[in-house]
């Protein structure tokens, strides 16, 4: 007996609609005869990945989600390049612009959104476009071949991704934004300003608090005029100022819209047998513009249409991640401070990391992360599950302190149908089955097999946790190939090997020879390459200051009000009246508003003007304390046996000797040492990159400690007898870290990655230690004090410290 299938028509061949149909076919393969209409002349593709196509990181061919064969294999009738122009809800038919009428039993509207075009005079000129489709992307790429200057109106997610794409295409780009903080819908002011600085460093120019008034030009655009009368030149203008639900046909058919197509918790519209899903739908007053919620809607709709039991769709908590290589930004939930909320904030200006977690009634309700977004997925999980955080310390909230098993236990608690990859709608169950059935062992393999982590990449940590959860001890998280940034597919080890083997000698040469996708590089890879080149050839490499972060270029820390902080070196935290008097006099002479003791036992002169820096350094006549750099920072000491009655070792003497030896040493990340005169550990040696503790008959050396964001107690590496051995072991340890650490990786992460047993084997091997010490001595022999160089060079003073009058 033949069963008559119901007729299901989907209007909109985009991400939300096709995903819902795919689910439905899995649940009820024989229930419906499916017809799909799509205005675009393509099968269903991943709109998210257009940003990577534009930036040159993906090809058009890579972004198709469902190729034509998928439709054929699932017996779906597909009409591409055909727009449905009317719906007859009484007769249950739809009619297309080509005159085709198809009847339905069930109709899904998934017509997405239209980009909003500000109705400015001149908006119809050639060269003014939106950024939404493959066609827009092709137009933008074609224009970049011919023209040089682009303006993007709108500093939201889309506008910034478009701007980065234009830079990669070799264009100059201005981003025009209406308020003074970019990504204002996703970030707070601090994160927004940090993002702006990072993107400016990449080459994007921002025109903030600008209201566009008129598009200038003849047939083609030549510029943009603002309401304040100023003008910016442009050969191309892209509008990225938000989207509006595409509801024209629904409205005309009498389906309730406000402004999206109003749906209930089962995605039913006001007219029976008509459903809406995706950006065009308005659920409980919200129209979503990101795929994760659209896939969540689709999952409920598919079950409902399949006749499978399903709970209602109750709305989604949003999270976003900007897809621009070299910057890590995450925003989730309600991140704006409001009455009744409190926030935990961590802002490390040295590493450029900012974290804000908003709490209400002992529950996390939102988070903004910049510079280190690894906690994003875990925080989202806590937001979704409304985890009670009473009793949890600040550190535990911002750090996965549950040790190795913590992450795995988080994913263990998730249900099989929990969506792990929001961008591609991949569930935990799908990933775990693929890992087991296909023998997958790396995040990349999971990506190729299931598409999870193929788009924004935000779910990579969760996929990695699922691998650990499924494979247990056999999963080697670090075996997965991890490129240093989106500009290249090469890993740190491949790059270092290539520099050594091919004798590469400057940043641009590395990028050329290794075929960087983005020929300018970014703020992640350029400083890393500069470090690796200097580490490999200390004697011959000429430091590329343009590849350094601003603080390292200026040799002082820029503060939030634009002034600088000056921290001179005070060896081992030990000073004398002459030095103190001089510091006091300098502070008075330059009207330093604040003088503060740092946690590393030295003095910080805060609020110094840029133009005063070199004169102040000259007056101080002290070396730079490198409080701004990826270098040796401080060696903290206690008074040791010189004064303390418990002391068994000369903590001050050893500390001063270590600091004098390793000052100015460039390292993958900042390094802090401490020396304590007995196990009472008053210098906090347990939480330093290398902590030295005097014990009966010798000294213990603790490696990989950290007292910062991710607190870690150091591992006992070695016990030595003499002070000479302390110097040797420290040299070998630091040189091994310099040679094997990833740029930006603290020793706490490095020791965890390599394992203390391995590091101990290297450092305690006399031959190996000798070789490492010899290489360290070479590196130390060429170090010079940057403050002295600036005092002596008029050119440095002119280029970096003079204030140019405009
Ligand atoms: C460049 C870019 C990058 C993005 N990056 C991200 C990201 O990183 N993360 C994220 O979550 N989201 C991102 N988004 C947003 C995401 O792509 C959308 O939320 C998602 O595609 C919406 O899916 P949809 O199916 O509702 O709409 P669409 O994908 O727009 O699909 C609707 C389809 O319906 C067709 N259509 C409309 N009317 C008709 C009609 N009458 N007849 C026939 N066909 C019709 C349209 O042509 C279109 O193809 C990005 C968007 C863009 C443009
Ligand atoms: N990585 C991602 O998740 C990603 C990437 C691209 C797009 N998207 C999605 O695509 C959709 C469209 O993105 P979008 O960035 O256009 O929308 P948006 O609404 O997120 O941002 C638009 C921005 O333009 C600004 N703006 C508004 N009017 C302006 C004007 N006249 N002049 C200058 N600035 C103005 C707004 O302040 C806002 O910050 C959104 O739903 C977005 O979430 C997401
Ligand atoms: S660590 Fe020991 S030696 Fe140093 S100050 Fe404390 S008690 Fe004294
Ligand atoms: S969540 Fe964006 S790729 Fe998985």
């Amino acid at each position: 007996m033949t069963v008559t299938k119901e007729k299901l028509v989907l209007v909109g061949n985009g991400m939300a609609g096709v995903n819902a149909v795919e689910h439905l076919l899995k649940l009820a393969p024989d229930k419906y005869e499916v017809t799909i209409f799509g205005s675009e002349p393509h099968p269903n593709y991943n709109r998210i990945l257009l940003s990577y196509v534009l930036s040159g990181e993906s090809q058009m061919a890579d972004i198709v989600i469902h190729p034509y064969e998928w439709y054929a294999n699932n017996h779906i009738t597909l009409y591409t390049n055909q727009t449905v122009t009317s719906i007859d809800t009484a007769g249950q038919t739809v009619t297309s612009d080509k005159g085709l009428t198809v009847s339905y039993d069930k109709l899904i509207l998934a017509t997405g959104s239209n980009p909003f075009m500000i109705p400015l005079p001149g908006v119809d000129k050639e060269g003014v476009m939106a950024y939404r489709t493959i066609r827009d992307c092709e137009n933008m790429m074609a224009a970049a071949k011919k023209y040089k200057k682009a303006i993007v109106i709108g500093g939201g997610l889309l506008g910034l991704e478009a701007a980065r794409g234009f830079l990669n295409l070799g264009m100059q780009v201005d981003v025009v934004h209406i308020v003074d903080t970019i990504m204002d819908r996703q970030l707070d002011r601090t994160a927004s300003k940090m993002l702006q600085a990072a993107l400016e460093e990449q080459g994007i120019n921002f025109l903030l608090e600008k209201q566009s008034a008129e598009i200038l030009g003849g047939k083609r655009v030549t510029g943009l005029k603002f309401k304040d009368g100023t003008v910016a030149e442009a050969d191309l203008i892209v509008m990225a100022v938000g989207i509006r639900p595409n509801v024209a046909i629904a409205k005309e058919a009498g389906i309730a819209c406000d402004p999206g197509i109003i749906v209930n918790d089962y995605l039913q519209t006001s007219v029976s047998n008509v459903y809406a899903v995706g950006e065009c739908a308005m659920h409980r007053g919200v129209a979503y513009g990101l795929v994760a919620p659209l896939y969540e809607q689709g999952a409920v709709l598919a079950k409902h249409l399949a006749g499978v039991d399903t709970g209602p769709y109750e709305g989604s908590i949003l999270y976003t991640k900007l897809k621009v290589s070299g910057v890590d930004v995450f925003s989730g939930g309600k991140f704006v401070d409001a009455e009744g909320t409190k926030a935990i904030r961590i802002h490390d200006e040295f590493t450029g990391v900012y974290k804000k977690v908003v709490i209400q009634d002992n529950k996390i309700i939102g988070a903004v992360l910049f510079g280190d977004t690894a906690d994003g997925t875990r925080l989202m999980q806590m937001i979704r599950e409304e985890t009670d955080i009473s009793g949890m310390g600040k550190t535990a909230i911002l750090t996965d302190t549950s040790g190795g098993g913590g992450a795995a236990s988080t994913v263990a608690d998730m249900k099989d149908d929990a969506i792990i990859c929001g961008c591609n709608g991949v569930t935990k169950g799908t990933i775990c089955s693929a890992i087991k059935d296909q023998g997958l062992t790396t995040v990349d393999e999971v990506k190729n097999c299931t598409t999870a982590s193929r788009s924004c990449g935000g779910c990579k940590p969760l996929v990695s946790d699922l691998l650990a959860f499924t494979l247990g001890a056999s999963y080697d998280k670090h075996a997965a190939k991890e490129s240093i940034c989106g500009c290249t597919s090469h890993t740190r080890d491949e790059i270092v090997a290539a520099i050594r083997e091919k004798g590469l000698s400057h940043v641009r040469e590395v990028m050329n020879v290794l075929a960087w996708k983005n020929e300018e590089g970014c703020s992640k890879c350029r400083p890393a390459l500069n470090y690796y080149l200097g580490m490999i050839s200390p004697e011959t490499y000429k430091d590329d200051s343009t590849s350094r972060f601003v603080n390292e270029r200026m040799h002082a820390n820029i503060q939030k009000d634009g002034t600088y902080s000056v921290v001179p070196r005070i060896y081992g935290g030990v000073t004398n009246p002459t030095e103190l008097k001089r510091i006091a006099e300098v502070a008075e002479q330059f009207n330093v508003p604040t003088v503060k003791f740092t946690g590393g036992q030295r003095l910080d002169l805060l609020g110094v003007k840029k133009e005063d820096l070199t004169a102040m350094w000259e007056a101080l006549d002290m070396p730079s304390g490198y409080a701004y750099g990826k270098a040796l920072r401080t060696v903290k000491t206690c008074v040791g046996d010189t004064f303390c009655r418990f002391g068994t070792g000369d903590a001050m003497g050893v500390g001063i000797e270590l600091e004098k030896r390793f000052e100015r040493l460039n390292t993958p990340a900042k390094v802090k040492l401490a020396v304590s005169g007995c196990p009472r550990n008053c210098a906090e040696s347990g939480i330093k990159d290398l902590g030295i503790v005097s014990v009966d008959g010798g000294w213990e050396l603790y490696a990989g400690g950290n007292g910062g964001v991710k607190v870690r107690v150091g591992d006992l590496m070695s016990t030595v007898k003499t002070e000479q051995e302390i110097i040797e072991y420290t040299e070998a340890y630091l040189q091994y870290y310099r040679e094997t650490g990833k740029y930006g990786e603290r020793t706490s992460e490095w020791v965890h990655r390599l394992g203390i047993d391995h590091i101990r084997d290297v450092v305690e091997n006399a031959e190996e230690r000798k070789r490492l010490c010899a290489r360290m001595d070479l590196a130390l022999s060429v170090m010079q004090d940057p403050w002295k160089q600036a005092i002596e060079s008029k050119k440095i003073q002119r280029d970096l410290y003079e204030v140019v009058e405009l």
Side-chain angles (χ1 to χ4, degrees), residues 11-17 37-40 47-48 50-51 82-85 110-113 131-132 158 161 246 249 277-280 289-292 294 321 323 423 456:
V11 181
N13 189 29
M15 296 187 73
F37 284 91
S39 300
E40 294 183 68
R47 203 171 293 290
I48 294 177
L50 287 178
S51 294
Q82 199 156 160
T83 300
V84 169
T85 46
T111 47
S113 297
Y131 177 24
R132 175 85 193 171
L158 186 65
E161 290 179 11
N246 179 2
I249 52 167
V277 70
E279 283 186 351
C280 63
L290 294 165
V291 287
L294 312 185
K321 195 175 179 296
K323 303 191 297 298
C423 294
C456 72

Side-chain angles (χ1 to χ4, degrees), residues 93-135:
T93 60
V94 297
T95 301
S96 80
D97 56 351
K98 302 220 165 104
L100 182 68
T101 297
V102 174
S103 62
Y104 66 81
D105 297 306
K106 303 276 188 242
L107 173 67
I108 304 175
L109 299 176
T111 47
S113 297
N114 293 320
F116 177 62
M117 300 297 281
I118 314 169
L120 298 175
V123 71
D124 49 0
K125 288 191 194 302
E126 259 178 40
V128 181
M129 48 186 88
Y131 177 24
R132 175 85 193 171
T133 61
I134 284 188
R135 189 192 203 136

Side-chain angles (χ1 to χ4, degrees), residues 15 141 246 410 475 574 701 759:
M15 296 187 73
M141 287 159 66
N246 179 2
T410 308
Y475 173 53
V574 180
L701 273 49
I759 294 170

Side-chain angles (χ1 to χ4, degrees), residues 486-499:
C487 302
T488 175
S489 55
H490 292 294
T491 61
R492 178 259 178 221
D493 290 349
E494 287 168 352
I495 291 163
V496 169
I499 294 174

Side-chain angles (χ1 to χ4, degrees), residues 638-641 644-649 651 676-683:
C638 74
V639 290
D641 67 0
C644 180
R645 61 200 169 89
F646 298 110
T648 53
S676 298
C678 85
R680 285 176 181 75
N681 229 335
C682 295

Side-chain angles (χ1 to χ4, degrees), residues 51 118 132 153-159 161 176-179 181-186 210-212 239-243 279 288-290 319-323 456:
S51 294
I118 314 169
R132 175 85 193 171
I153 308 183
L157 290 157
L158 186 65
E161 290 179 11
V176 171
H177 196 58
I178 198 152
V179 289
T181 44
I182 55 172
M183 268 178 73
D184 49 299
R185 302 202 172 155
Q186 293 84 13
K210 287 280 188 189
Q211 289 201 39
S212 307
M239 291 218 196
V241 290
I243 49 176
E279 283 186 351
Y288 294 95
L290 294 165
Y319 64 94
T320 51
K321 195 175 179 296
L322 181 70
K323 303 191 297 298
C456 72

